[in-house]
Amino acid sequence: MLEEVERWLSTRSWSLTDRPLHRILAAKQRTGQSVSVVLPALNEEETVGEIVAVIRHDLMRQVPLVDEIVVVDSGSTDRTSEVAAAAGARVVHRDEILPRIPAAPGKGEVLWRSLLVTRGDVVCFIDADLREFSSDFVSGIVGPLLTDPDVDLVKAMYDRPLGGAAGQGGRVTELMARPLLNMHWPQLAGFVQPLGGEYAARRSLLEQLPFPVGYGVELGMLVDALHLVGLDALAQVDVGVRKHRHQDGQALGRMAAAIYRTAQLRLARGHLVRPALTQFERGPDGFEAHTYSVDTEERPPMTDIAEYARRKVA
């Protein structure tokens, strides 16, 4: 490990107890910063309501830490929108945001568009499939941004159990993202959960970043933020245990391909001959090939979008 990373781990890796909630709230009131929480959601009716309800109860009613909760629905076919709205979130459909640009499928697309429908100086992203959710996920990663002006982006770190086995979740992280980061961006080797969907950042940083439209968004954001603001502006906070719905092996393969593509673009910004992934499933006549396109599109920094610039002026 680089000496720089060892130093970073001792100065930019924290636990929840390092910043009690009363200290975070005092910093928010002193600085006047506002906080938006965004949940990107696709068919998450079983979990999104509880997450919204916990945040509203703990961080809006009991203490005024969060100023708005926005659920961006990316085309759910279940009751995700109704459940989220009933729990107290403002629900916006992905296709209603910036309609002049046709929406691409993918999580990164939703996160990018969310900047246009939120106002917070600090934007906190939380995945909508978390179970046994604790508001510590929000206060833990928002805290350093409110108390330390030198920090621009904070990732949550946590244990990820899989099937009852502690620490066995995050398979794409261990098999794809961590090797890529260690080999090509060793300054980022200290991040425990580089692909985790729970992180917060200053709007002033997010609006300058390109957003891969799909699963590569988390890796792309870390790499681009490193180049833009430097390692010392990045941090991580231990928030305990993350429980969520796990995907099957083939879905993980597609995720890994998108992450590799994102890394490749950042290494060379060159043209990929075949941005596709072929996988196999056994059918009546033997193994059948299924080919999927790999996310290659990226959205530009939000500061390049005229509608966003006009909103800032207004």
Side-chain angles (χ1 to χ4, degrees):
M1 183 181 293
L2 296 177
E3 183 177 335
E4 180 183 7
V5 176
E6 292 182 352
R7 180 193 55 77
W8 179 85
L9 282 169
S10 67
T11 60
R12 286 292 187 262
S13 291
W14 296 299
S15 71
L16 285 167
T17 56
D18 291 328
R19 288 176 180 80
L21 189 55
H22 68 84
R23 179 185 165 197
I24 298 171
L25 185 61
K28 180 180 190 288
Q29 294 170 338
R30 183 177 65 254
T31 60
Q33 298 177 86
S34 55
V35 176
S36 299
V37 175
V38 173
L39 278 71
L42 177 63
N43 295 329
E44 303 294 356
E45 66 176 4
E46 293 184 5
T47 51
V48 68
E50 180 184 356
I51 297 172
V52 170
V54 168
I55 296 172
R56 279 183 56 81
H57 176 269
D58 293 357
L59 302 180
M60 296 182 82
R61 292 174 182 160
Q62 289 197 331
V63 297
L65 182 64
V66 171
D67 297 284
E68 64 175 347
I69 305 175
V70 179
V71 171
V72 184
D73 191 328
S74 58
S76 297
T77 56
D78 65 2
R79 298 181 62 253
T80 290
S81 291
E82 294 88 340
V83 170
R90 176 160 61 93
V91 179
V92 185
H93 195 281
R94 174 200 62 197
D95 297 341
E96 297 172 355
I97 308 170
L98 201 62
R100 73 173 177 86
I101 299 179
K107 178 184 178 182
E109 177 81 359
V110 173
L111 301 184
W112 181 71
R113 289 175 187 261
S114 75
L115 297 181
L116 268 165
V117 293
T118 54
R119 291 284 182 177
D121 302 302
V122 171
V123 182
C124 174
F125 298 120
I126 300 290
D127 280 351
D129 66 343
L130 302 188
R131 302 181 184 277
E132 301 178 28
F133 177 77
S134 167
S135 60
D136 289 343
F137 274 69
V138 175
S139 59
I141 57 179
V142 165
L145 294 163
L146 297 177
T147 59
D148 190 335
D150 296 326
V151 174
D152 287 326
L153 184 149
V154 182
K155 296 280 291 190
M157 56 177 167
Y158 34 66
D159 295 315
R160 295 184 67 180
L162 176 64
Q168 294 303 304
R171 291 162 288 173
V172 176
T173 293
E174 300 304 329
L175 296 174
M176 175 60 72
R178 200 175 307 285
L180 281 172
L181 292 175
N182 276 264
M183 287 186 290
H184 299 299
W185 297 280
Q187 286 178 292
L188 297 174
F191 277 94
V192 175
Q193 297 292 351
L195 299 185
E198 291 70 46
Y199 48 98
R202 300 191 190 281
R203 176 177 295 272
S204 56
L205 171 63
L206 293 172
E207 65 188 12
Q208 297 182 68
L209 298 177
F211 276 62
V213 299
Y215 285 125
V217 64
E218 274 84 25
L219 183 135
M221 190 175 294
L222 263 188
V223 170
D224 293 339
L226 173 68
H227 291 160
L228 192 63
V229 296
L231 182 60
D232 280 343
L234 313 180
Q236 59 186 352
V237 174
D238 188 348
V239 297
V241 179
R242 183 186 196 266
K243 297 181 179 180
H244 67 114
R245 169 176 43 80
H246 292 282
Q247 302 195 54
D248 63 32
Q250 294 214 334
L252 295 179
R254 296 190 290 274
M255 184 184 301
I259 290 164
Y260 179 75
R261 168 63 172 172
T262 300
Q264 186 186 51
L265 283 172
R266 278 150 181 78
L267 286 168
R269 294 290 175 182
H271 177 67
L272 186 62
V273 175
R274 186 175 181 269
L277 175 71
T278 299
Q279 296 178 317
F280 296 88
E281 296 179 8
R282 185 182 292 278
D285 301 317
F287 283 102
E288 300 173 351
H290 299 271
T291 299
Y292 303 88
S293 62
V294 175
D295 297 319
T296 59
E297 188 172 359
E298 296 196 2
R299 295 306 190 189
M302 190 57 79
T303 49
D304 293 349
I305 300 299
E307 289 89 338
Y308 188 80
R310 288 197 296 269
R311 193 193 74 159
K312 293 190 72 174
V313 171

